[in-house]
Amino acid sequence: MGDPRLLGKARPVAAFNTAELDALVADMRDTMLNADGAGLAAPQIGIGLQVMIFGVEHNPRYPDAEPVPYTVLINPTIEPIGEETDEMWEGCLSIPDMRGLVRRHSRLHYRGYDAQGTLLDRCVEGFHARVVQHEYDHLQGILFPMRIPDLRFFGFTDALFSAQPAVDEPADNGI
Ligand code: NI
């Protein structure tokens, strides 16, 4: 956070199934897995292209965290389904060790392409819908603290959760 590359609008990818795009996706995947994140957008590694990846495997330590299939999503469009929203503590690999309470649409229709140019068209809900909205924001130059309506609910993970043992630590380590 603070790097101007995180505040720009990402450009669409013009060519699919190329060595350059495959290399970018591989670099992003390594970065996300190394940081134990649930998602990553290309601007987070300094590349202003509309490329995001995300995915969460089932974690027995957090039985309530729904698995999300590993997905490469390029040139996405998103559309909320219905009016329902929900709140969740979000983190971000570009804003280490901090969390904020963010309200997002509960259900989402999204479209985009994988690295080979195959169309993805999905209707999703819950954490899957949340991670796509978070990563889509990165492509618009929006970081999650800009989405926190009440900044009392923004802080360091340790301070927010260890001082209040009654509050469950959020399952995701970062989006
Ligand atoms: Ni993020």
Side-chain angles (χ1 to χ4, degrees), residues 112-133:
Y113 300 88
D114 70 12
Q116 285 71 48
T118 304
L119 179 67
L120 294 175
D121 187 328
R122 291 177 175 163
C123 293
V124 299
E125 60 184 11
F127 190 70
H128 192 153
R130 176 166 293 269
V131 72
V132 171
Q133 288 169 87

Side-chain angles (χ1 to χ4, degrees), residues 95-159:
I95 309 165
D97 303 322
M98 299 191 80
R99 297 296 170 96
L101 199 56
V102 179
R103 183 168 287 281
R104 304 244 188 220
H105 296 286
S106 303
R107 294 185 177 80
L108 195 69
H109 178 199
Y110 70 81
R111 287 167 160 244
Y113 300 88
D114 70 12
Q116 285 71 48
T118 304
L119 179 67
L120 294 175
D121 187 328
R122 291 177 175 163
C123 293
V124 299
E125 60 184 11
F127 190 70
H128 192 153
R130 176 166 293 269
V131 72
V132 171
Q133 288 169 87
H134 177 112
E135 303 309 335
Y136 184 86
D137 269 356
H138 275 299
L139 305 182
Q140 313 303 314
I142 297 169
L143 300 172
F144 84 83
M146 302 174 189
R147 296 284 194 195
I148 302 173
D150 184 341
L151 287 170
R152 291 178 300 171
F153 300 102
F154 179 46
F156 294 105
T157 310
D158 285 353

Side-chain angles (χ1 to χ4, degrees), residues 23-171:
L24 171 61
V25 169
D27 190 6
M28 289 174 63
R29 189 163 198 262
D30 287 346
T31 302
M32 182 178 84
L33 294 177
N34 188 52
D36 204 19
L40 192 77
Q44 293 182 271
I45 59 167
I47 305 296
L49 289 172
Q50 294 178 14
V51 179
M52 65 165 82
I53 63 171
F54 51 87
V56 184
E57 291 178 9
H58 178 69
N59 188 325
R61 289 182 301 158
Y62 306 110
D64 295 336
E66 322 138 47
V68 178
Y70 176 72
T71 301
V72 176
L73 185 63
I74 299 169
N75 298 353
T77 59
I78 66 173
E79 185 182 356
I81 302 172
E83 304 294 318
E84 191 183 331
T85 61
D86 58 80
E87 283 186 320
M88 185 179 159
W89 290 96
E90 278 187 24
C92 179
L93 298 180
S94 298
I95 309 165
D97 303 322
M98 299 191 80
R99 297 296 170 96
L101 199 56
V102 179
R103 183 168 287 281
R104 304 244 188 220
H105 296 286
S106 303
R107 294 185 177 80
L108 195 69
H109 178 199
Y110 70 81
R111 287 167 160 244
Y113 300 88
D114 70 12
Q116 285 71 48
T118 304
L119 179 67
L120 294 175
D121 187 328
R122 291 177 175 163
C123 293
V124 299
E125 60 184 11
F127 190 70
H128 192 153
R130 176 166 293 269
V131 72
V132 171
Q133 288 169 87
H134 177 112
E135 303 309 335
Y136 184 86
D137 269 356
H138 275 299
L139 305 182
Q140 313 303 314
I142 297 169
L143 300 172
F144 84 83
M146 302 174 189
R147 296 284 194 195
I148 302 173
D150 184 341
L151 287 170
R152 291 178 300 171
F153 300 102
F154 179 46
F156 294 105
T157 310
D158 285 353
L160 286 167
F161 299 104
S162 66
Q164 303 169 47
V167 178
D168 288 337
E169 176 102 14

